[in-house]
Every structure is written in C-alpha cells, then in structure tokens.
Amino acid sequence: MSHSASHPAAGSPAGSSTARGIALGAGLLVLALVPLMVGASPYMLGLLISALILAGLALSWALLGNLGGMVSFGHAAFFGVGAYASALLAARLNVPVLLAIPIGGLFATLSSLAMLPALRLSGPYFALAILAYAQIFRILATELDWLTGGAAGLQRFPSLPTVFGLDLSERAGSYVLVLACVVLFALVYVVIRRSHVGTALRAIAESEDATRVVGVNATVLKTWMLLLSAFIAGVFGALNAHIIGFLEPDYAFSGIWSVMPIIAAVFGGYRTVLGPIVGAVVIYLFDQVVAKSLIPVGHQILLGIVLAVMVLVAPNGLSGLVARLFPRSEKHHAEA
Amino acid sequence: MTELVLQALFSGVLIGGVYALVALGLALAFGAMRIINLAHGELVLLAAYMAYLVESRTGLDPYFAIPLALIVVGVASWILFLLVDRIKDHRELNSLILTFAIGIILTNAILLLFASDVRTTSSAFLQDAVSFGDVYAMRGELIAFVLALVLMGVLWWWLKSSWYGRAVRAVSSNRGAAQLMGINPTRIETVSFLVAGALASFAGIALYTMSVVQPATGHALTVKAFIITVLAGVGSIPGVFLGAVLLGLTEALTVTFASSALQELAGMVLFLLVLFFMPNGLFGARARRG
Amino acid sequence: MLKLDAVTVRFGGLTALSDVSFEIPQGEILGLVGPNGAGKTTLFNSISGLVKARGQITFDGKNVIRLPLHRRARVGIGRTFQIPQPMHHLSVRENLAVAQVFGAGRYDPKRIDEILTVMELSHKADADAASALALQELKRLEIAKALATEPKLLLLDEVLAGLESNAKRTFMLKLRELHRLFGLTIVIVEHDIETISELCTRAVVLNFGQLIADGTPAEVFANPAVMESYTGTAHA
C-alpha cells in the first residue's frame, strides 16, 4: 500500500496542474478503496484508519503552514479538544455522534480563538506559544476531572452509528467515513488555495507590505486559516475518539499528535495538498510496521532521522522530489 | 507557612541558576545564527546522562563526567551546527523543523541507550541537606548554583573582553558589518555553538546532581529555556539570570501551594502572560513580532 | 479631497517630517519635489499607512490617520513604490486580481484586462511578476496594481526615474491618459524640473522634512530657497 500510493504521482503525464491534480486525486481515491474490495484484514484496515486520521491532521497542519505561513508545534491541542468535546457531547448530552463530531471541530476552533494573540508573533515565537497552549490543554483535561474523568480517562461514550445500512463502527465503515472526511477537507483546501484568498496568502509570505498596501488584511486571512486548521484537526480528533472508544488526557493531547503531522507533512511535501496525505500514510505505516518491529521502544528515532534527512535533502518533500524527477509542461517551466 | 514560602523561594532561586545556563546556551546560538535550536534541551540531557554513565559505571562523583560531557556534547553541538548551516531556503522555518528532528533523534537515542527510568545522583555527599536557619538545601543544589554563577561570570567576561567574544557580539548585532570588519561569521557561529554546548554540558551535569532526569526532560528544558528568553530577551546575562530565577520561583511556588502536576502549567501561563501583555519582555528585549 | 494638517513623523530621535500641511483638490496633478532624504517617501508612507504619523490626514472628509494600511487602500488611496514591490509567487494577472478583490472589493476580470492593456502588460499577463519582468515593466505593474484597487488618489513614487527623454515623454502622456480615464487625483514624486513644469499644475517642495514652498511650478522654481535646496541634487 505504502509504495503503491506514491506511484501514480510519479507516473502521471504532464498536463495542466488542474487536470494533473484531479487525475492524481482520483487515482489515489481508487487506490484507497482497494483494501475494501480485496477484503483487507481487520488489522490492516485498523492501521489504514489510523493512517488516514493522521493524514487529516497532517492536512490541517500543512494548511496552516502553507497558506497561513505558521509552523505549529501544538496541533495536539486541537486534536484533543475535538476529541473530548465530541465524546462528552455524545455521552453527557446525548448529541448524535455524527453531529457531535463537527461540533467537536467547532470547539477546537473555539479553543484556537484563545491563540489569536499569538498570531502577531513571528515564526519561532508563534511555534512555541502554540506548544505552550497544547500543554495547558493537556493539564486542564487532567485537572478538570469532574468534566473529563481526569487522568483515568473517559471510557463509556457512544461509538459511530449505522447509516444507510453501513455500520460505521465496523472497521470497513469507519475506514470509508474517515476517507470521506480526508477527501472532503482536501477539496476544501484546494478550493481555498485556488481562491483569491489563497492567492493573497501566497503573496503575503514574501511580500507582506506589497500585499497589505493593495488592501489585504493579512492578519484576518491568517486568522481564518488558524480557525479552519483547528476545525479540521478537531474533527479528526473526534473521529479518532469515537473509533477507538477511549480517551485519556495523556493520549488525546499527546505530543505525538503534534509531532506526527509535522513529519508526515514535511515528508510528503507540505506545500501541496496531496503531499501531507501521502506522507501520513507512508510515515504511519513505516512507523507501525517497520520501525516498531525493528526498535520496539524508541522507534521514533527513525522518524526523527527521516524528518532531518528530508529537511536537508528534499525540503519540498516527496512531491518536490517527484516534481524534480518528472518536470511539468513547458508552460510551467517558463514561469519557474 | 512562612517557612514554606521561604523554602519555595530558596529552591526556586537555586534551580534558576541551572535554568539560566540552559537558556544562555540557547540565547548564544540564537544570537549568532538567528535560529532557535529546538534540540538545545536535548544537549543538556545528553550531558546529564554522561554524568549518570560515569557515576553508575565508575562510582565516581558525577562532576568527574565533565570532560566526557564536554567532548560528547561539544561534538553533538558541532554536528548540529554543520547540519543547520546546510539549510539554504526558508532558513527560519526549516531550521526549526531540523533542530526539532534532531531533538527527537537525541531523545530516542537516550531512551534506547539508558531506558525510560528516572535517574538522579546516588552520591550521599551531594544529597546531604545543609540548613540555613529554617530553610534547607541539598549540597548538590548549592554546588550547582555556585557553579552556575561562576560560569555566568566567565561567560560575561568572555563576551566582554576576549577577541572571540567581541566578534560573537559583533556578528549577533550586525552580520554584514562584522563581515566587512574581516570576521568570518561561520567561524564565529561554530564557536557560539561550541560554547553553547559547553554551557549545556555543565548545566546537564548540575541538573543531574540536584534534580531528576529522564528522556522527556530534554524537550521540557528547551521549552523552559525558550520561556526564559521570552521573559528576559536574549540581550543580557543578568536579564537571562533574572528570567531564569523568576521561572524557578514560579515553579517552586506552584509546587508548594498547588500541586507538582501544575508545575509546567505555571511556566507556560507565565510565558503566555508575558508574551501577550509585555511583548518586549520583562526587561525590554528586542521586538519579536512578525 | 486630501488635506494634511501638521503631519509629523519621528523615527527615534530623528524627525523625518515636521508639521507638514497642505491640501490637494480633486483632480489635481501635484508634483512633490525635494532633495533626497527630504521626506517625500516618508510623506507617501504616512498617507498610505506604512508609517505611523501624528497630525491629521483627511481624505474625502474623514481623518484616516488611524486607519491601518489595508484599510487606506480600500478607502481609495493607491500608491506605488520607488523600488517596485510585486507580490512574489504570483503572476501579473494574479497581482492585479488580489489588488482588485481586496482593494476594490469586487472581482472584474474584464477591467483587469483593460488595465493590463492600458499599462501595456497584456503580453506578460501570465508571467511570474517577480522574476519575469524587466524593470520598466515592473514599474508599470506598480501602477497597474494601484489602479486595480480603484483609487481616487494615486501616489506615484519616482515612476519616471531612469527613463530616457523619449520614453519619459511617452510615459507622461500615459499618466495624463490615466488621469483622465480613471478620474484620478495624482501626487507624483519627481526630480526633473521640466517634467514637473509640464505635467503638474502645482508643486510642493519638501526640505529636511519641512514644507518650504507651495505654488505653481513656475512660482516654486523661481523661489531662491527652493533652488538652493535643489541645485546639485538631481537637476544637473
């Protein structure tokens, strides 16, 4: 799965970037459905579900990094808030799970409002401020035990329902649901990137004054990206919570949820839409199947090495490598 | 009650000395290269584990690990510099990610070599309590604090008086002008990273003798060092020392009056308060807005 | 339409503009004159919101001095930079689209095409603005971007500098055309006395951050104080 997922990208013919993107996306989608058709083992499906959860998180991280120009070391905050909010809504207020999940996302957005003051900080200061937020949320989830169950965690909250005869709490159903969410948010990302907002955000990174002087409110646009990124991360946190059916602060707000999306997105190429998704699947499977069997404790050392090597050798990730090996049409060449 | 407060204040000041050493290393590398070394705490951690290695294998006092730590951490810091120096595009962002990755590698390497257990010195001499009226300290804490003060003095003298120190300051304030004066910035950056590594070595050993370490400590130390530079700015040694003591006090008071679970939270809250309400730091550091 | 009242800008201890006051009526082409470092660009920066100024800047009857940079573009103040600042990573057309959508609050591709035609940039419409344009094209893009925000007031910072005399003449005709076509009020920074005399109905002279003369170009350039500050700086 892992190597076949990256193949069509390499083999796709040169063409306009839109056609190329659609072809790529459709190809990947078909590939993504293969495990269902061939009846992959529950273990394999479970791995793929987790990989797709990570893909959604990596997509949300890359959206903030690529469009918002911000590096986040604290996406665990949004992931955890989404998870807890959705689980608590479903358990305590009997909110239907499929409604609780997007509301969980909204709660993550709400929590990101507290980070707005951090937006006026430059690079490393923003990165570390958001890391501080993630820690604060983890500690809050532990301390507010009347609400969250404290360190012992939450165990009894509803799992995913059955919709149109498809039991979403079964592995196959969960897989389809998570995949659909990844596709949906990837499309949202594409639409934003191609919009005027996306164009303006692309300009802000290197020409802030020139962009603001024609009327672009850079802070507001970046704010929208932070809110959206938090929402997406929250939704995947909520999905994950209802799929595994168990939450505790050290898990939901684990540094893993901050670290893995960075590795996945940088590995796949965080300046593209597909990069983080492909990167997440490859990295997650590599970590779980290869790294863990080689080094049971401390397997993250291999991920660290992968990340360091990627930044040094191919800072644009897999997609950058693909672009280098298979250059696009002449038109794009002339522009480059 | 008063004794509790006094004891907390005393312990806070003592740990502040070591925090200052960690933060000064971070600030030095930042001054020279304008990058935040997110693996700096892991360098300190590496030194602490060298102390553990020497103590557990030879039974010698942890401070005998100084030469070994200087060599190991110095080499690690130098390699780190060489890697960071290779980054050409989007330097600020990519160097953050690269040093973050190196931090992950170091943390897990230590986890692999030394397991995840919590380690601290077994030296009875260092753990002996010394009393000052109503307040107590371990001998290790006092030695570490004095060591920190001495090193800060040495660093202050070095930056102020030596040729290298002046060049480091010249490069941090104006790279282009320093180059025109015939200073080779790469050489100065290398020296800054080596000195940062040396500070990390001493800080790590001192930490091992007065507190506990485990693989996750490195990351927490990076964050603390960063908090201190936000509190103090990277401009002056006394400023960093005051910021470090303030963090130490905040943590100690939180542990005394709330719970040790909230210790890190207190530091973070302090950090965010200063960041948002005093964007120039407590002592008027340089601007950090984008 | 634009009224400056005691506009003052300080950078640390340095006073870049001190108590500058003058008024520009609708439809005027005003020359802003003065030696290098006199504060001309700082004046543009304070009108367009790039630097904080004290005093009053009234535009269309409203004091805009507290408006942030991006809001000034939306109320109708457009400007160019002396060193062209295209938006990086964007094509020429995308530069104009961003300026139009965010500065004018609407998207009208036909009008963008018109601006591209008027500014003779149609052939480079899809080229990368930052890397594929020659200096004179970049200067035209500066004006095109400002026009796309649909300004009432256009601040032009040395757009004619570096042109040889024929090209300069053509470009002046172009500016007159823009002035008429878009119903603009224009302030232009320019060193050349002949150009100012020909293009502008009025000139304002800055020296050491202070306004030292204000009148028709003929009056201003007959003023001995102006000539003293001026000789040797540009008109050699």
Side-chain angles (χ1 to χ4, degrees):
Chain A
M1 178 63 197
S2 64
H3 75 274
S4 59
S6 61
H7 245 333
S12 90
S16 81
S17 58
T18 320
R20 191 189 156 91
I22 291 172
L24 254 169
L28 285 179
L29 201 56
V30 170
L31 267 177
L33 291 172
V34 167
L36 292 182
M37 294 182 237
V38 301
S41 69
Y43 167 72
M44 195 63 200
L45 268 184
L47 279 182
L48 289 176
I49 291 169
S50 300
L52 286 177
I53 295 275
L54 180 62
L57 198 56
L59 193 70
S60 119
W61 185 88
L63 180 136
L64 188 66
N66 185 28
L67 295 182
M70 288 169 269
V71 187
S72 157
F73 287 107
H75 257 51
F78 308 135
F79 188 83
V81 168
Y84 265 96
S86 181
L88 288 171
L89 283 169
R92 304 272 165 89
L93 301 176
N94 295 319
V95 177
V97 171
L98 288 185
L99 184 63
I101 289 172
I103 299 178
L106 287 178
F107 270 87
T109 303
L110 212 61
S111 73
S112 75
L113 286 178
M115 298 183 195
L116 289 187
L119 275 179
R120 60 195 170 90
L121 305 169
S122 66
Y125 291 94
F126 174 82
L128 271 285
I130 204 167
L131 183 123
Y133 278 113
Q135 303 265 28
I136 289 174
F137 281 111
R138 180 177 56 77
I139 296 168
L140 283 181
T142 313
E143 296 298 313
L144 301 177
D145 45 9
W146 54 271
L147 178 68
T148 62
L154 280 179
Q155 262 140 33
R156 274 193 299 264
F157 54 90
S159 54
L160 292 165
T162 300
V163 176
F164 302 127
L166 181 63
D167 185 356
L168 296 178
S169 65
E170 284 289 314
R171 290 265 161 93
S174 302
Y175 180 77
V176 171
L177 178 65
V178 177
L179 181 64
C181 288
V182 170
V183 171
L184 174 73
F185 287 118
L187 289 176
V188 169
Y189 185 171
V190 170
V191 167
I192 292 175
R193 203 174 62 157
R194 310 186 123 257
S195 73
H196 293 299
V197 169
T199 315
L201 282 165
R202 193 154 28 111
I204 287 169
E206 270 187 61
S207 342
E208 180 142 356
D209 277 351
T211 313
R212 293 178 62 209
V213 87
V214 296
V216 176
N217 187 345
T219 315
V220 162
L221 297 191
K222 287 181 175 184
T223 301
W224 281 112
M225 292 309 111
L226 178 64
L227 300 185
L228 178 62
S229 177
F231 178 77
I232 298 174
V235 164
F236 282 96
L239 277 170
N240 187 54
H242 290 286
I243 288 169
I244 61 167
F246 165 74
L247 275 185
E248 62 178 19
D250 284 349
Y251 170 77
F253 292 96
S254 164
I256 289 290
W257 306 116
S258 297
V259 175
M260 288 298 276
I262 302 178
I263 299 173
V266 171
F267 180 76
Y270 77 96
R271 295 208 174 274
T272 63
V273 178
L274 287 173
I277 299 174
V278 174
V281 174
V282 175
I283 286 291
Y284 186 79
L285 293 182
F286 169 77
D287 183 43
Q288 294 297 310
V289 178
V290 182
K292 256 190 179 168
S293 63
L294 288 176
I295 314 171
V297 178
H299 55 100
Q300 280 198 327
I301 194 171
L302 294 178
L303 297 184
I305 292 170
V306 167
L307 184 60
V309 169
M310 276 323 259
V311 173
L312 288 169
V313 178
N316 290 322
L318 274 188
S319 47
L321 280 178
V322 170
R324 233 190 285 169
L325 293 174
F326 300 90
R328 293 177 178 194
S329 64
E330 299 74 31
K331 178 172 159 284
H332 284 84
H333 256 309
E335 282 179 26
Chain B
M1 185 66 186
T2 332
E3 290 102 78
L4 273 179
V5 176
L6 279 177
Q7 183 63 49
L9 293 177
F10 190 52
S11 311
V13 171
L14 292 180
I15 190 82
V18 175
Y19 285 176
L21 288 187
V22 182
L24 283 171
L26 189 81
L28 208 57
F30 180 76
M33 275 189 106
R34 297 280 125 194
I35 64 140
I36 297 278
N37 176 10
L38 289 178
H40 187 70
E42 276 81 358
L43 293 178
V44 177
L45 184 72
L46 197 57
Y49 274 90
M50 291 305 113
Y52 165 69
L53 186 70
V54 165
E55 187 183 51
S56 61
R57 288 293 156 85
T58 65
L60 286 168
D61 187 276
Y63 278 106
F64 284 97
I66 288 175
L68 176 68
L70 281 174
I71 293 168
V72 171
V73 178
V75 168
S77 190
W78 185 53
I79 292 174
L80 205 149
F81 164 74
L82 291 177
L83 292 176
V84 170
D85 196 42
R86 286 178 54 98
I87 293 176
K88 297 288 172 261
D89 303 328
H90 298 101
R91 222 173 120 196
E92 182 181 282
L93 190 146
N94 282 334
S95 65
L96 269 182
I97 296 175
L98 177 64
T99 56
F100 183 65
I102 293 170
I104 296 175
I105 296 171
L106 285 175
T107 298
N108 284 284
I110 288 170
L111 178 64
L112 283 169
L113 293 171
F114 300 100
S116 62
D117 305 63
V118 171
R119 312 280 183 195
T120 187
T121 182
S122 51
S123 153
F125 172 75
L126 290 171
Q127 289 184 319
D128 260 355
V130 184
S131 73
F132 299 87
D134 286 336
V135 296
Y136 294 87
M138 288 195 322
R139 201 174 275 140
E141 286 181 288
L142 292 173
I143 293 174
F145 184 71
V146 171
L147 177 72
L149 287 183
V150 169
L151 284 172
M152 277 185 265
V154 170
L155 183 68
W156 180 80
W157 174 83
W158 182 74
L159 283 173
K160 192 176 155 61
S161 311
S162 78
W163 188 87
Y164 262 113
R166 286 179 191 157
V168 167
R169 284 187 293 141
V171 170
S172 5
S173 63
N174 189 333
R175 195 185 166 89
Q179 243 165 327
L180 287 178
M181 282 155 53
I183 297 171
N184 174 0
T186 308
R187 196 159 155 201
I188 297 307
E189 286 163 1
T190 313
V191 171
S192 302
F193 267 75
L194 289 177
V195 174
L199 288 173
S201 307
F202 286 105
I205 293 169
L207 191 73
Y208 176 72
T209 61
M210 68 185 293
S211 180
V212 294
V213 294
Q214 61 189 97
T217 306
H219 180 69
L221 282 174
T222 305
V223 174
K224 285 189 215 283
F226 188 77
I227 291 175
I228 291 163
T229 57
V230 169
L231 295 181
V234 290
S236 77
I237 294 176
V240 169
F241 179 58
L242 282 179
V245 167
L246 184 62
L247 180 66
L249 289 177
T250 310
E251 288 185 353
L253 288 171
T254 310
V255 172
T256 306
F257 292 104
S259 86
S260 56
L262 294 180
Q263 182 188 338
E264 272 181 48
L265 183 69
M268 297 289 178
V269 171
L270 181 68
F271 164 69
L272 293 175
L273 285 178
V274 170
L275 208 47
F276 295 144
F277 297 110
M278 299 170 165
N280 292 322
L282 291 175
F283 318 112
R286 71 194 80 205
R288 55 176 67 89
R289 298 197 179 169
Chain C
M1 73 165 331
L2 179 75
K3 186 166 178 256
L4 306 184
D5 199 357
V7 172
T8 301
V9 176
R10 288 204 180 86
F11 299 119
L14 189 97
T15 305
L17 282 181
S18 97
D19 279 338
V20 174
S21 306
F22 63 90
E23 203 171 336
I24 312 169
Q26 172 80 38
E28 190 166 68
I29 303 184
L30 175 76
L32 184 58
V33 181
N36 289 324
K40 303 179 302 280
T41 296
T42 305
L43 186 65
F44 272 16
N45 284 347
S46 52
I47 298 173
S48 59
L50 228 63
V51 300
K52 275 188 185 144
R54 293 196 304 179
Q56 280 205 328
I57 299 176
T58 315
F59 180 75
D60 263 358
K62 277 177 300 188
N63 188 5
V64 296
I65 202 142
R66 300 232 170 273
L67 283 189
L69 185 55
H70 65 271
R71 296 272 305 139
R72 308 241 187 146
R74 290 183 201 171
V75 298
I77 300 173
R79 75 164 288 176
T80 68
F81 289 96
Q82 184 182 354
I83 299 162
Q85 293 198 13
M87 289 179 247
H88 283 243
H89 307 303
L90 265 52
S91 72
V92 168
R93 193 189 296 279
E94 284 174 323
N95 262 270
L96 298 200
V98 167
Q100 190 186 45
V101 167
F102 292 91
R106 66 197 187 99
Y107 181 53
D108 181 353
K110 262 169 76 184
R111 193 180 162 92
I112 288 178
D113 284 332
E114 282 167 29
I115 296 173
L116 285 171
T117 311
V118 173
M119 294 317 297
E120 294 161 39
L121 285 166
S122 302
H123 62 296
K124 291 274 178 93
D126 295 310
D128 182 69
S131 61
L133 264 60
L135 181 63
Q136 289 309 323
E137 289 170 329
L138 281 172
K139 289 196 159 194
R140 294 208 297 275
L141 173 62
E142 279 291 298
I143 300 179
K145 263 192 314 177
L147 289 175
T149 66
E150 299 179 11
K152 298 170 194 155
L153 173 70
L154 187 57
L155 308 173
L156 300 173
D157 200 348
E158 297 201 24
V159 284
L160 295 166
L163 290 173
E164 46 89 18
S165 62
N166 269 338
K168 201 165 197 167
R169 185 148 296 280
T170 320
F171 210 90
M172 277 161 64
L173 288 174
K174 177 70 69 189
L175 290 182
R176 283 188 188 285
E177 184 190 347
L178 297 178
H179 178 244
R180 199 186 56 239
L181 209 59
F182 296 96
L184 295 168
T185 305
I186 294 178
V187 183
I188 180 166
V189 169
E190 174 57 38
H191 285 297
D192 185 42
I193 293 179
E194 279 169 42
T195 308
I196 293 284
S197 305
E198 198 174 328
L199 189 65
C200 306
T201 44
R202 185 175 147 216
V204 160
V205 186
L206 287 180
N207 195 24
F208 293 114
Q210 287 179 317
L211 192 141
I212 60 166
D214 181 351
T216 65
E219 285 167 15
V220 161
F221 292 123
N223 182 335
V226 172
M227 291 321 286
E228 193 184 323
S229 78
Y230 212 65
T231 37
T233 53
H235 191 242

